Amino acid sequence: MPIIFISGHGDIPMAVEAMRHGALDFIRKPFREQDILDRINEALTQEMLTHQYRLEHQALLDKIASLSLREKQIFMKVAAGEMNKSIAIDLEISERTVEVHRSQVMKKLKVRTLAQLVNLKLQSELTQP
């Protein structure tokens, strides 16, 4: 939840401390009503965007979690840039089996290209705000 501090006796160190602890803004009295309304609207917009990002990030993590163990292994290796032949040797399976699992990974994660798969992997590793 965004926090806006309002103080009639605030000073710079107090404002810095509030911001360091996550305050969105520090407003000193007296203030114009429009200024506080603008900051509240900005805070609500920011909170809505953060909430939406968290939902999308969790949906992405849930998609990845739906992969089987072997599919996760293939996903990680493909996203890391490994070739099918190298993956097959490393996992001691046939290259055709790698291709089948790779196809299933692409379908389950709803991506069409390797670039999208890599992007999805990078997004999954980002921390939530």
Side-chain angles (χ1 to χ4, degrees):
M1 178 74 67
I3 297 172
I4 301 171
F5 275 92
I6 300 173
S7 175
H9 304 288
D11 56 13
I12 292 175
M14 189 184 296
V16 169
E17 187 70 16
M19 301 298 276
R20 194 174 337 157
H21 282 56
L24 184 66
D25 203 347
F26 189 96
I27 300 174
R28 290 187 59 190
K29 292 179 184 177
F31 55 83
R32 292 182 325 127
E33 284 183 28
Q34 190 59 48
D35 290 339
I36 192 71
L37 290 174
D38 290 344
R39 293 307 290 155
I40 289 170
N41 283 328
E42 289 173 29
L44 291 173
T45 299
Q46 180 181 351
E47 179 63 19
M48 182 185 68
L49 292 173
T50 299
H51 180 70
Q52 183 63 32
Y53 173 80
R54 285 183 179 144
L55 289 176
E56 291 171 4
H57 191 259
Q58 188 57 52
L60 171 60
L61 296 178
D62 291 345
K63 269 197 233 179
I64 293 170
S66 76
L67 299 175
S68 70
L69 177 60
R70 181 64 82 188
E71 289 169 342
K72 285 179 189 171
Q73 291 172 325
I74 303 288
F75 169 62
M76 299 298 276
K77 291 182 175 295
V78 169
E82 291 188 38
M83 303 299 290
N84 289 352
K85 187 173 187 173
S86 171
I87 296 169
I89 292 168
D90 190 40
L91 298 178
E92 299 176 350
I93 57 178
S94 74
E95 196 171 340
R96 179 67 186 134
T97 302
V98 172
E99 291 170 3
V100 170
H101 283 300
R102 183 175 174 162
S103 175
Q104 284 301 107
V105 167
M106 301 288 269
K107 284 179 187 173
K108 285 184 177 182
L109 298 181
K110 297 180 178 150
V111 295
R112 292 185 183 182
T113 67
L114 178 59
Q116 290 174 325
L117 189 73
V118 171
N119 187 35
L120 200 92
K121 174 71 170 95
L122 292 173
Q123 288 177 10
S124 73
E125 293 172 346
L126 294 176
T127 56
Q128 296 186 17

